[in-house]
Amino acid sequence: MTTSHEIAIVSGASTGMGAATARELARRGLHVLAGVRREQDGDAIRAAGIEPVILDITEPDQIAALAARIGDRPLRALVNNAGVAVNAPVETLPMTEWRRLFEVNLFGHIAMTQALLPALLRARGRIVNISSVGGRIAMPAYGAYAGSKFAFEAVSDALRRELAPHGVQVVVVEPGGVRTEMNERGAATAGRLAADMTGEQRSRYGDLMRAVVSHADAFTRAGRTADFAAQVIARAATVRNPRTRYTIGRDAALMTRLARILPDRALDRLTAANLRPHFPRPAV
């Protein structure tokens, strides 16, 4: 690993925002350790300034190996980007899925932060946590995903206040719709989970799940590109005086603002109105 460039780590860099962020940070002169799950993903992203590393953030041994790879070098930036999307009603989502989602979207990032904090302290570096508009407002069938992101936002706030006296800054990035492969994977997972519902559950939530998948697809297709998102994330990681939070896309900026100012019942009506056009039309 080169010693002539500052080092950044990006988890979840196989595709989408993570891969685009790795490329953008390398373009800005950092040596990027890009966390990927498979060797072929590493081959696809390998380039000048980008060194793929096999990294599953739910595997302690892989996190420890990455920390050992850094050794006593300073770490300029840690971008906690890895994540999974799961959509299902609270009643129907198996506890194994709840735990898996929180392991990836929350606990894995905490484990990464704990392991790499010594290197970040040496560099007075920066932690960039990729949350979501779902970290500020929870749509129906987003209970598990939004719950993990709400928790990630809270952990980020605590961490920012803990590390500020020691020179390490913590920034949260909240994407709205971004055109990545995550939506397709999430839709496939939602279909699988819907198929496992009981007949009674399908009568309660079947139309809702179809509306949620349709809404997510439209939301994503109208969203920003991964390259645009990467520019926001890279700026959050490198600008001299970052804000505590950045949004990606006008949808995220609007929804996070409304979540701060509207009463709960008004937000309930707003989310219902957003979903209504996506419900199946009654048979004539």
Side-chain angles (χ1 to χ4, degrees):
M1 183 166 56
T2 179
T3 58
S4 60
H5 293 79
E6 292 184 302
I7 301 168
I9 293 173
V10 180
S11 66
S14 296
T15 59
M17 288 194 303
T21 298
R23 290 191 292 266
E24 180 62 24
L25 289 173
R27 190 187 69 79
R28 296 182 184 217
L30 281 77
H31 182 85
V32 181
L33 298 179
V36 298
R37 296 285 300 276
R38 302 175 300 175
E39 294 287 351
Q40 54 265 46
D41 296 332
D43 293 338
I45 197 174
R46 193 185 310 275
I50 300 178
E51 180 183 346
V53 294
I54 297 299
L55 178 65
D56 179 340
I57 65 169
T58 68
E59 293 291 340
D61 290 346
Q62 294 183 17
I63 295 174
L66 178 59
R69 191 178 185 84
I70 295 294
D72 59 359
R73 299 178 182 90
L75 177 60
R76 177 69 181 80
L78 168 62
V79 180
N80 284 316
N81 169 74
V84 294
V86 174
N87 294 116
V90 171
E91 176 190 354
T92 68
L93 186 64
M95 289 307 302
T96 53
E97 292 288 342
W98 281 89
R99 294 186 177 98
R100 181 182 73 89
L101 188 142
F102 271 75
E103 283 291 340
V104 178
N105 288 2
L106 180 64
F107 302 134
H109 297 312
I110 295 172
M112 286 281 289
T113 300
Q114 289 179 339
L116 294 164
L117 199 49
L120 287 159
L121 287 164
R122 283 193 292 271
R124 297 175 71 86
R126 190 167 304 167
I127 300 167
V128 180
N129 288 335
I130 309 304
S131 178
S132 165
V133 65
R136 306 296 289 276
I137 186 167
M139 297 278 287
Y142 281 78
Y145 178 78
S148 69
K149 293 298 187 179
F150 268 65
F152 200 24
E153 297 254 358
V155 170
S156 298
D157 283 343
L159 190 65
R160 184 182 69 250
R161 291 158 186 157
E162 292 164 2
L163 295 180
H166 308 289
V168 174
Q169 296 171 308
V170 179
V171 181
V172 172
V173 177
E174 298 164 335
V178 178
R179 299 196 293 273
T180 70
E181 297 85 346
M182 179 179 282
N183 183 58
E184 294 179 8
R185 294 193 295 266
T189 301
R192 173 177 58 81
L193 292 169
D196 289 339
M197 290 182 190
T198 66
E200 186 177 349
Q201 289 170 342
R202 276 193 293 274
S203 70
R204 275 197 290 274
Y205 304 119
D207 286 351
L208 170 64
M209 288 305 300
R210 286 187 282 273
V212 164
V213 171
S214 173
H215 175 270
D217 180 61
F219 186 67
T220 300
R221 283 189 284 105
R224 294 289 195 167
T225 65
D227 287 339
F228 179 91
Q231 292 177 26
V232 177
I233 296 167
R235 184 162 65 250
T238 59
V239 71
R240 182 181 295 275
N241 294 306
R243 302 198 300 265
T244 59
R245 280 176 170 80
Y246 291 80
T247 55
I248 297 176
R250 285 176 294 182
D251 53 348
L254 175 62
M255 294 302 288
T256 55
R257 191 173 298 119
L258 291 176
R260 289 196 300 269
I261 63 176
L262 289 181
D264 289 344
R265 296 299 184 192
L267 283 174
D268 291 349
R269 291 191 292 272
L270 178 63
T271 56
N274 278 337
L275 279 176
R276 193 172 298 121
H278 298 276
F279 273 82
R281 295 183 178 180
V284 177

